[in-house]
């Protein structure tokens, strides 16, 4: 790879890191958010919003890829658990730590399991994952103290819901949900097919999600570093005057981004394949 491509592949751009951190902090699908009673008064309870540990793990996988994060745990003498969470952001690993407390469940194994989950969630919050849930205004809701559950699910504020619901990108049967055209041999991951104009992203948010998904696919196949594609698109968008917030792009910026992805993939071709083709 040439010098420019090497710089992009490291994901060293601050704009690329900014894009990744914004994706980590994005609101969850409202269906993933649950509520538990923080305080009960008769048939009313103060609702506290939260997400399961698996939802946090899904978000990390979605934004960074399964190889883009790692966690370590230490059981502390008081029964709490310390979590060290490391994320690959740009060209370096960034570490955040926090401690989770055991639950009040009667089973010791369940209490310990809750401490591990709580530790991961608290460490992830330091990267912005689910942090907005802690800023929600407390709300009282109807509650059944016998069944120990809300009679109706409390509602999230409109500004904390994604405009397009769902944590994962749509899967298209016999088609493609990627950002790329038909690949050239040895230039892009197998299974990538042409993206018809009719299924181009409808808006910047959908564009951003598809780019994240394809970025994770490329990095998982060791074709570039984590965040390299996002960095490349952001840099191109800045030069074209579209700004650095991909989620806010629209109109001509959408097909522009698709063309930029093509350029990125063209530079990923192994140099030996290019030289062999020229010699032939």
């Amino acid at each position: 790879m040439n010098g420019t491509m090497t710089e992009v592949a490291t994901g060293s751009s601050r704009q690329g890191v900014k894009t990744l951190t914004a994706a980590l902090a994005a609101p969850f699908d409202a269906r993933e958010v649950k509520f538990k009673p923080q305080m009960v008064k008769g048939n009313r309870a103060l609702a506290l919003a939260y997400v399961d540990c698996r939802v946090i793990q899904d978000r990390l996988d979605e934004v960074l890829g399964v190889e883009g994060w790692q966690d370590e745990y230490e059981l502390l003498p008081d029964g709490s658990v310390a979590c060290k969470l490391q994320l690959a952001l740009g060209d370096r690993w960034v570490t955040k730590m926090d401690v989770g407390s055991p639950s009040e469940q009667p089973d010791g194994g369940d209490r310990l399991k809750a401490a591990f989950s709580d530790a991961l969630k608290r460490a992830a919050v330091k990267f912005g994952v689910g942090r907005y849930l802690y800023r929600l205004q407390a709300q009282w809701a109807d509650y059944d103290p016998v069944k120990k559950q809300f009679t109706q699910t409390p509602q999230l504020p409109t500004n904390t819901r994604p405009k397009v619901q769902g944590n994962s990108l749509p899967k298209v049967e016999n088609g493609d949900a990627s950002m790329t055209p038909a690949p050239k041999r040895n230039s892009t991951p197998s299974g990538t097919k042409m993206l018809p104009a009719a299924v181009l992203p409808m808006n910047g948010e959908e564009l951003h999600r598809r780019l994240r998904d394809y970025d994770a696919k490329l990095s998982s196949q060791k074709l570039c570093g984590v965040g390299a594609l996002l960095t490349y698109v952001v840099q191109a968008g800045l030069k074209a005057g579209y700004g650095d917030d991909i989620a806010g792009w629209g109109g001509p910026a959408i097909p522009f981004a698709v063309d930029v992805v093509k350029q990125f993939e063209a530079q990923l071709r192994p140099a030996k394949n290019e030289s062999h083709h020229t010699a032939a």
Side-chain angles (χ1 to χ4, degrees), residues 30 32-38 46-52 121 130-139 150 154-157 160:
E32 299 285 4
V33 179
K34 300 181 180 180
F35 293 87
K36 59 184 177 181
Q38 186 178 33
L46 192 61
L48 182 66
Y50 73 99
V51 292
D52 287 337
K121 289 193 285 187
R131 187 181 296 172
Y132 74 99
L133 294 173
Y134 291 84
R135 298 178 178 143
L136 296 181
Q137 184 175 359
Q139 58 177 308
F150 290 99
Q155 296 298 306
L156 291 168
T160 64

Side-chain angles (χ1 to χ4, degrees), residues 99-116:
V99 176
S101 302
S103 65
E104 298 179 355
Q105 296 167 282
D107 183 79
D110 288 338
R111 290 197 301 270
L112 184 60
K113 180 181 177 181
F116 275 87

Side-chain angles (χ1 to χ4, degrees), residues 6 24 49 51 64 100 113 148 172 174 178 187 190-191 212 222 224 249 274:
T6 300
L24 289 168
V51 292
L64 302 171
K113 180 181 177 181
K148 295 184 178 181
V172 180
N174 300 321
S178 74
S187 64
S190 59
R212 291 201 315 263
K222 309 301 182 184
C224 64
W249 289 6
E274 290 296 308

Side-chain angles (χ1 to χ4, degrees), residues 1-2 4-5 232 260 262-270:
M1 292 184 182
N2 57 37
T4 302
M5 194 58 203
Y232 191 83
V260 171
K262 296 178 187 178
Q263 297 169 14
F264 181 81
E265 291 175 325
Q267 296 182 70
L268 289 179
R269 286 182 223 140

Side-chain angles (χ1 to χ4, degrees), residues 182-196:
K184 296 184 179 180
R185 184 171 297 178
N186 298 323
S187 64
T188 57
S190 59
T192 304
K193 302 176 182 178
M194 181 173 291
L195 178 67

